Amino acid sequence: MISIKVDTRATMSALSNSARQIPYAISKGINDIAVGLQKHERSVMESVLDRPTKYTLNSLFVAKGSKANPTATVGLKDVPKHSTHYLEPLIKGGSRHKKGTEIAFGSRWFTPGKAAYELGYIDQHGNFKSSILQQLRSYFGVAEMSAGYTANSKQANKEKLAKMKRTYWDSKAGKMKTVTKRQLVKDPKRGYKTIGGKVYFMSMGRYAEVKDPNSRLWNSRWEQHLAAGIWQKSGVHGADVKPVLMQAKAPTYTKRFDFYGEAQRFVDKQGAAIMSAAVAQALKTAR
């Protein structure tokens, strides 16, 4: 939140003959400065942040003052779920709070895996698509923890997503073919088990025994040979394995958005001109 002080002595002098307009001129000038500052900060975010969303660009609010209380406020809209705003790490530096999906999956930090980009799981702003995150939460039965309603996937839905089938190598055609229903009737085990869609699974980490009493998802005593995170498999016997959402260290951010510095520079550069325009408007409308 920003509080700006403006020298109004010139305004008072210009309106000495129109005393009734003084409160109006001051409040209008302060409010105009606040609105101009909001637009300026938005333009700064567009230039210093990486593909910011509309939600982020619209994260600033203006609380206008009145003639009785000529004080305007420009600040970050509250985020009720957390004690600090999600933009604060970019303004002050430091770490961020955990996201809903991270909390749902055992309160761990995550970052998109390399395959998330090629699979189309990342949106135009460089963020993991919310629809895919919800699918993952539902798949592993933690949707209720984050969404607050029954949205966990049933086994039938998982099987539908997997699109399981049996395939075989056709030497004459030189490619894999799907076993027909007639062939399966004669030989139910004919061909290879093949995931035509996708199946998700979790890895606890390379060669590490994990025992977390706070999470049934990450509680395991078996050694695993893939990096910790959520993986996707498909193909014959699920041999095509891709990293989707990987466990990571707590991220640390450097200051990128000089929110307070930009505010002071804007007022120093344009505050007087905006206030003068407000005085001119007050004089023009004086009765």
Side-chain angles (χ1 to χ4, degrees):
M1 192 174 295
I2 303 170
S3 295
I4 299 297
K5 293 183 179 180
V6 179
D7 189 347
T8 60
R9 287 176 293 182
T11 302
M12 298 287 283
S13 177
L15 291 170
S16 59
N17 295 325
S18 304
R20 288 183 301 178
Q21 292 297 90
I22 291 177
Y24 166 72
I26 293 176
S27 63
K28 177 173 173 48
I30 292 294
N31 290 335
D32 288 351
I33 290 173
V35 172
L37 175 57
Q38 181 192 38
K39 293 179 179 179
H40 173 72
E41 295 282 17
R42 179 188 171 107
S43 67
V44 172
M45 283 194 286
E46 288 182 303
S47 63
V48 301
L49 302 183
D50 181 21
R51 293 168 289 170
T53 63
K54 288 184 179 180
Y55 181 83
T56 293
L57 294 176
N58 293 328
S59 61
L60 296 175
F61 73 89
V62 173
K64 294 183 178 181
S66 62
K67 290 190 290 185
N69 181 23
T71 302
T73 301
V74 179
L76 297 169
K77 295 177 182 177
D78 292 335
V79 180
K81 294 181 180 179
H82 308 285
S83 58
T84 58
H85 197 278
Y86 69 94
L87 283 178
E88 284 195 18
L90 299 177
I91 295 173
K92 300 177 181 179
S95 61
R96 62 169 173 79
H97 56 72
K98 288 187 176 71
K99 300 177 181 178
T101 297
E102 293 172 325
I103 294 173
F105 284 113
S107 195
R108 287 165 166 77
W109 302 96
F110 285 101
T111 188
K114 292 181 180 179
Y117 296 89
E118 65 180 74
L119 292 170
Y121 291 170
I122 306 300
D123 64 20
Q124 68 269 30
H125 301 289
N127 301 320
F128 219 99
K129 290 182 178 178
S130 58
S131 59
I132 301 298
L133 290 177
Q134 180 58 36
Q135 184 181 78
L136 292 174
R137 291 195 293 263
S138 298
Y139 195 91
F140 290 103
V142 296
E144 294 180 15
M145 297 172 60
S146 56
Y149 60 92
T150 303
N152 294 326
S153 293
K154 296 180 181 179
Q155 185 58 36
N157 293 331
K158 292 182 180 180
E159 292 175 358
K160 185 177 180 180
L161 185 65
K163 297 180 182 177
M164 293 298 298
K165 56 186 179 180
R166 299 192 75 87
T167 60
Y168 67 97
W169 176 255
D170 188 326
S171 57
K172 292 183 179 179
K175 62 180 180 180
M176 296 293 292
K177 284 190 175 182
T178 302
V179 178
T180 65
K181 290 184 179 180
R182 182 178 296 180
Q183 291 172 324
L184 283 176
V185 170
K186 293 182 179 180
D187 183 3
K189 296 184 178 180
R190 179 184 174 90
Y192 310 102
K193 288 183 179 180
T194 302
I195 302 173
K198 53 190 174 184
V199 170
Y200 296 115
F201 68 96
M202 285 188 176
S203 171
M204 314 306 165
R206 294 189 182 94
Y207 310 106
E209 289 188 2
V210 178
K211 188 174 183 180
D212 186 349
N214 299 318
S215 175
R216 62 183 177 81
L217 293 173
W218 297 80
N219 189 9
S220 174
R221 294 183 179 181
W222 293 278
E223 291 184 349
Q224 300 197 358
H225 301 273
L226 294 173
I230 297 175
W231 295 70
Q232 176 180 308
K233 63 181 179 180
S234 60
V236 177
H237 293 304
D240 186 7
V241 178
K242 297 178 179 180
V244 174
L245 198 61
M246 298 292 96
Q247 186 175 324
K249 295 181 179 179
T252 300
Y253 296 85
T254 56
K255 297 179 182 179
R256 296 181 59 188
F257 176 28
D258 189 9
F259 181 62
Y260 300 101
E262 287 291 341
Q264 192 59 60
R265 286 188 286 273
F266 174 82
V267 173
D268 290 344
K269 186 177 181 179
Q270 301 188 43
I274 294 174
M275 184 61 74
S276 296
V279 171
Q281 179 67 22
L283 290 173
K284 184 178 179 180
T285 58
R287 296 179 180 178

